[in-house]
Amino acid sequence: MKLSAAVTALCIASASAFAPDTSVSRSTKLFNDPNQNPFGAAKSIEWGGNENDPNAKTIRLRDRLNEADTERRKDAEAAEQRERAAEIRREERLKKIAYMTEMPDSTPAGTVDEFMFKEGVQDQLDKLDRELVGLVPVKRRVKEIAALLVLDKMRRKLGFETAVPSLHMCFTGAPGTGKTTVAVRMGQILAKMGYSRRGHVVLATRDDLVGQYVGHTAPKTKEMIKKAMGGLLLVDEAYYLYNAANDRDYGQESIEILLNVMENQQDDLVVALAGYKDRMDSFFSYIPGMMSRIGNHIDFPNYSADELVQIAGVMADQLEYDIDDNAFPVFKQYIEKRMELPYFSNARTVRNAMDRARMNSAIRTFEKFAIRGENGGVCTVHDLKAIQAADFQVLLDDIVNADASKRIFA
């Protein structure tokens, strides 16, 4: 009886153990859909991979190794190229040493005259002598620079070590002393000797280089530099680029650009600064970096009265006029009086005086033949070319007889 009761209890327990649990079914009914995310559908909490996936880790490691291998290969190639370039330079150096050692001291390099005439340098110096009266110190300095360039080219022909000399210049002197003319001749000499590609001269002032608002100066300065590349940039009255009374002046930006170009592109551009000597000295004191980059300082002295009379004769020849012999003393008197007045500009004053003398000659000739009808109104070639003493006497009378406040306009 007890045995059957135990068997019955065991069967009931086994049946209950294998029966489905309805409570569990009710508690998991919310997640019956296998595609439903129990944490929501927002993209910010979705995950696109498995941090424990060994394949993903392998891919990342392989990419990093490939990148490192590429960088090492590039570094190795660059090092190899540098080593090869250094080896080539060493070989060229050894060849040059052997060539210079074996070359006899008596090896002909050519004559200086040959280089002067062949390259056209002598022709430019002759033009400078013809166009400029006086200015002996200036001409001597120009010839010294030309001599340096000629000898440097002769050295290069034989294989000597050479370096492009500092060709930046500073021209100081009063107006009308020939600074622009010398700059033009220097540009042509540099072109003849192969130190500049074009040899042209670009004249610039503050208005050409400095802007009027922020961001305007750099483009203007760079545009002028671009125009002058391969030649010579002449900055007239360069001291106006710097305004010591205004720290915010835009001229400082232009100066910095010029300094950079003068240092890094001196092989393709020569910069020449021009102005009064005292003001240029003050300018260099504010900008010492500019002073150190200029290797050639040329001072242009004022002309004497006799030299200005010669300049008048040169101008007359260029314009195909003939100045009578008795007219030169009158013109000299005028020049001596004019030199005592303000705003005297040397050769420019002479040019203005010659223009007035030509006008006086035209008036005199017109009245003589057109109004008074002398010689039947027929004038000769001499009449059309002659500048007489009376034509200069008008200028002298204007200075002598004019009021003190108006003499500068005579």
Side-chain angles (χ1 to χ4, degrees), residues 70 128 158 193 316 406:
T70 301
L128 193 65
L158 291 179
M193 294 302 300
K406 299 180 180 180

Side-chain angles (χ1 to χ4, degrees), residues 104-361:
D105 292 340
S106 60
T107 301
T111 64
V112 175
D113 288 341
E114 177 185 353
F115 276 81
M116 292 285 283
F117 285 100
K118 181 179 179 181
E119 304 296 341
V121 177
Q122 188 62 50
D123 181 53
Q124 298 301 324
L125 295 177
D126 292 341
K127 287 182 179 179
L128 193 65
D129 282 333
R130 291 194 301 269
E131 294 177 359
L132 287 183
V133 174
L135 297 181
V136 175
V138 175
K139 295 177 181 178
R140 181 172 61 249
R141 187 72 179 108
V142 172
K143 291 179 180 179
E144 290 172 354
I145 297 174
L148 171 64
L149 301 182
V150 170
L151 269 296
D152 185 70
K153 193 159 189 178
M154 295 176 70
R155 285 172 55 87
R156 277 190 291 172
K157 180 181 178 181
L158 291 179
F160 285 101
E161 287 290 341
T162 61
V164 177
S166 176
L167 298 174
H168 301 308
M169 306 175 191
C170 176
F171 299 154
T172 55
T177 51
K179 296 186 291 293
T180 303
T181 301
V182 172
V184 171
R185 289 288 161 256
M186 282 304 306
Q188 294 172 346
I189 289 174
L190 296 176
K192 295 290 184 181
M193 294 302 300
Y195 287 93
S196 65
R197 291 183 289 110
R198 300 166 61 187
H200 66 300
V201 176
V202 175
L203 180 62
T205 61
R206 176 186 168 91
D207 292 339
D208 300 312
L209 299 171
V210 181
Q212 299 178 351
Y213 51 84
V214 176
H216 191 207
T217 297
K220 291 189 69 173
T221 302
K222 291 178 180 179
E223 179 64 24
M224 293 303 297
I225 291 174
K226 182 178 179 181
K227 292 180 180 178
M229 274 297 174
L232 189 146
L233 175 64
L234 177 61
V235 183
D236 195 18
E237 297 182 319
Y239 33 76
Y240 287 129
L241 292 178
Y242 182 78
N243 186 358
N246 185 3
D247 294 337
R248 298 182 180 181
D249 184 70
Y250 300 134
Q252 182 65 37
E253 183 179 2
S254 178
I255 293 173
E256 292 174 357
I257 295 174
L258 287 174
L259 290 173
N260 184 53
V261 171
M262 292 170 68
E263 182 67 24
N264 299 324
Q265 301 187 45
Q266 59 178 334
D267 294 345
D268 199 32
L269 178 66
V270 176
V271 177
L273 309 181
Y276 290 102
K277 181 172 177 54
D278 55 343
R279 296 186 183 182
M280 289 302 301
D281 291 341
S282 177
F283 172 72
F284 288 138
S285 68
Y286 291 119
I287 315 293
M290 185 70 77
M291 179 71 172
S292 62
R293 285 171 172 79
I294 295 177
N296 302 284
H297 294 263
I298 304 176
D299 186 45
F300 289 68
N302 288 322
Y303 289 104
S304 66
D306 290 331
E307 290 173 339
L308 293 172
V309 172
Q310 294 180 43
I311 291 174
V314 172
M315 291 182 178
D317 291 339
Q318 293 175 346
L319 296 171
E320 296 185 342
Y321 277 89
D322 295 329
I323 300 178
D324 292 350
D325 293 338
N326 60 351
F328 283 108
V330 180
F331 180 74
K332 184 178 180 180
Q333 293 180 44
Y334 164 77
I335 286 296
E336 290 173 343
K337 294 286 186 181
R338 184 64 184 85
M339 291 175 70
E340 299 173 356
L341 300 177
Y343 310 116
F344 179 72
S345 299
N346 291 280
R348 293 179 187 170
T349 299
V350 173
R351 183 181 60 195
N352 294 336
M354 287 299 300
D355 289 341
R356 289 192 60 193
R358 291 167 55 203
M359 181 177 65
N360 294 336
S361 174

Side-chain angles (χ1 to χ4, degrees), residues 73-92:
R73 186 168 59 253
K74 289 181 178 179
D75 293 340
E77 291 176 355
E80 184 179 355
Q81 291 177 356
R82 289 193 299 269
E83 183 177 354
R84 179 56 182 162
E87 182 65 26
I88 293 174
R89 288 194 297 269
R90 283 194 295 269
E91 292 176 356
E92 293 178 350

